[in-house]
């Protein structure tokens, strides 16, 4: 890891630690140059009143996101959900309600202060199907193929190694799993320098990918059915967007299995008027002879 990368990660950690400490002291936090009052582009105002009413005040106050991934993740009973950069736990707690007692909601964060706040919020809400993990989103501390849905709220743009984030997300998802992410995305016409002019890295702006870069990164990691839909502007040429993608499920082998099960003596439908060689280069008689089948007629 380069010195610049280390410095950026430490800047992010410090800023979000300060945001957590502000909340525990009775304030609010927002993604920006300092922990400040939230506006319409970031924070708990992007959630429905019904969702806000179910959560502890501290979880709402610590909301730093640019969207509402829960609204698009289509969570189902019994599913396992992972929130990348879970902060004060707002999306984990909402996910836990969606997946029910037979499901599980995980939150991953690298900031001790945010993890402490999230654990306290989980206790206040009475949630029992949640678990918070310490770690980075570039090295997720979970086994492969264990998660049904990965969500994230304005955090992937903060990573200095987004290719690793996409690869790790793909790894932990079960085949057929999916992502539902809210993130800041830049117009394809904006250069990295122009993005930096619109806001700093820890302010969720300078590190944002363009629409084309985001799509290419997900597809390189193996994702399919990628869609990136802007929802509202957060700066000139910068948007909060909903990102969806899927990890391909295994190919459907049921038809092939049925066909293989129907093969006997090297032919399909053996000893019936419909019998046909299973090998296109052989006649029925040749196929039966090659298989050393006792039924040669």
């Amino acid at each position: 890891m380069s010195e610049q990368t280390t410095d950026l990660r430490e800047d992010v950690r410090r800023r979000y630690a300060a945001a957590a400490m502000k909340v525990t002291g009775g304030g609010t936090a927002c993604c920006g140059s300092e922990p400040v009052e939230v506006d319409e582009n970031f924070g708990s105002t992007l959630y429905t009143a019904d969702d806000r009413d179910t959560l502890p005040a501290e979880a709402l106050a610590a909301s730093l996101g640019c969207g509402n991934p829960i609204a698009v993740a289509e969570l189902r009973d019994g599913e396992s959900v992972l929130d990348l950069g879970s902060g004060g736990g707002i999306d984990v707690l909402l996910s836990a309600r969606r997946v029910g007692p037979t499901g599980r909601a995980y939150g991953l964060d690298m900031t001790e202060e945010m993890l402490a706040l999230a654990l306290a919020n989980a206790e206040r809400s009475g949630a029992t199907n949640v678990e918070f993990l310490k770690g980075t989103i570039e090295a997720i501390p979970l086994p492969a193929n264990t998660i049904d849905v990965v969500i994230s709220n304005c955090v992937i743009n903060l990573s200095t190694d987004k290719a690793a984030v996409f690869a790790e997300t793909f790894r932990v998802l079960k085949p057929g799993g999916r992502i539902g992410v809210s993130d800041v995305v830049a117009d394809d016409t904006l250069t990295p320098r122009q993005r930096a002019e619109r806001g700093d890295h820890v302010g969720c702006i300078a590190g944002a990918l363009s629409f084309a870069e985001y799509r290419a990164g997900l597809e390189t990691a193996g994702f399919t059915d990628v869609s990136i839909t802007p929802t509202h502007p957060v700066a000139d040429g910068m948007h909060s967007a909903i990102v969806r993608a899927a990890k391909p499920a295994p190919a459907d082998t049921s038809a092939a299995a049925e066909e293989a099960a129907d093969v006997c003596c090297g032919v399909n439908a053996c000893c019936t008027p419909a019998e046909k060689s299973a090998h296109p280069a052989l006649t029925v008689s040749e196929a039966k002879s090659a298989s050393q089948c006792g039924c040669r007629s």
Side-chain angles (χ1 to χ4, degrees):
M1 185 181 298
S2 71
E3 184 176 345
Q4 181 183 19
T5 297
T6 302
D7 289 345
L8 282 172
R9 178 176 287 179
E10 179 57 20
D11 284 346
V12 171
R13 190 205 63 77
R14 268 199 313 267
R15 190 64 52 81
Y16 285 82
M21 295 301 291
K22 184 177 178 71
V23 170
T24 56
T28 59
C30 179
C31 187
S33 59
E34 294 294 340
V36 295
E37 296 299 316
V38 297
D39 61 23
E40 69 276 8
N41 291 327
F42 296 95
S44 62
T45 58
L46 300 172
Y47 295 81
T48 66
D50 287 344
D51 279 342
R52 293 198 301 269
D53 289 345
T54 66
L55 296 170
E58 292 84 354
L60 297 174
S63 177
L64 309 173
C66 58
N68 179 0
I70 305 302
V72 299
E74 299 177 356
L75 302 179
R76 309 178 186 107
D77 282 349
E79 288 189 317
S80 56
V81 186
L82 169 64
D83 180 19
L84 301 180
S86 49
I90 182 171
D91 292 316
V92 176
L93 297 179
L94 289 174
S95 295
R97 289 178 178 272
R98 298 291 199 283
V99 301
T102 60
R104 191 81 175 164
Y106 297 90
L108 174 64
D109 207 282
M110 68 175 182
T111 309
E112 290 278 5
E113 293 84 353
M114 277 296 184
L115 288 168
L117 178 59
L119 287 168
N121 286 332
E123 185 174 353
R124 291 185 187 101
S125 71
T128 58
N129 58 337
V130 303
E131 183 175 347
F132 290 97
L133 309 169
K134 184 179 181 182
T136 68
I137 62 176
E138 298 87 1
I140 300 172
L142 285 172
N145 306 314
T146 54
I147 299 295
D148 294 301
V149 188
V150 171
I151 63 174
S152 187
N153 198 346
C154 204
V155 171
I156 294 175
N157 66 78
L158 296 170
S159 173
T160 56
D161 189 354
K162 296 174 180 63
V165 177
F166 295 147
E168 278 289 274
T169 301
F170 190 88
R171 180 186 67 81
V172 300
L173 278 171
K174 298 175 183 177
R178 62 196 187 277
I179 67 171
V181 168
S182 291
D183 210 358
V184 173
V185 185
D187 285 342
D188 291 334
T189 56
L190 292 183
T191 65
R193 180 176 178 177
Q194 290 171 323
R195 297 170 214 174
E197 291 171 351
R198 286 154 171 76
D200 61 8
H201 187 91
V202 294
C204 308
I205 301 297
L209 296 173
S210 70
F211 284 90
E213 290 167 345
Y214 218 119
R215 177 181 294 276
L218 289 170
E219 290 177 345
T220 297
F223 285 99
T224 59
D225 301 323
V226 178
S227 69
I228 307 173
T229 307
T231 57
H232 60 273
V234 297
D236 183 23
M238 312 286 292
H239 313 268
S240 174
I242 294 167
V243 182
R244 295 183 177 94
K247 180 174 180 176
D252 184 5
T253 58
S254 57
E258 289 179 8
E259 183 177 340
D262 192 40
V263 174
C264 174
C265 294
V267 300
N268 294 303
C270 183
C271 298
T272 73
E275 68 180 357
K276 183 179 179 180
S277 173
H279 195 295
L282 301 177
T283 66
V284 169
S285 296
E286 289 170 338
K288 290 183 176 181
S289 178
S291 70
Q292 299 182 343
C293 178
C295 176
R296 301 293 176 89
S297 60

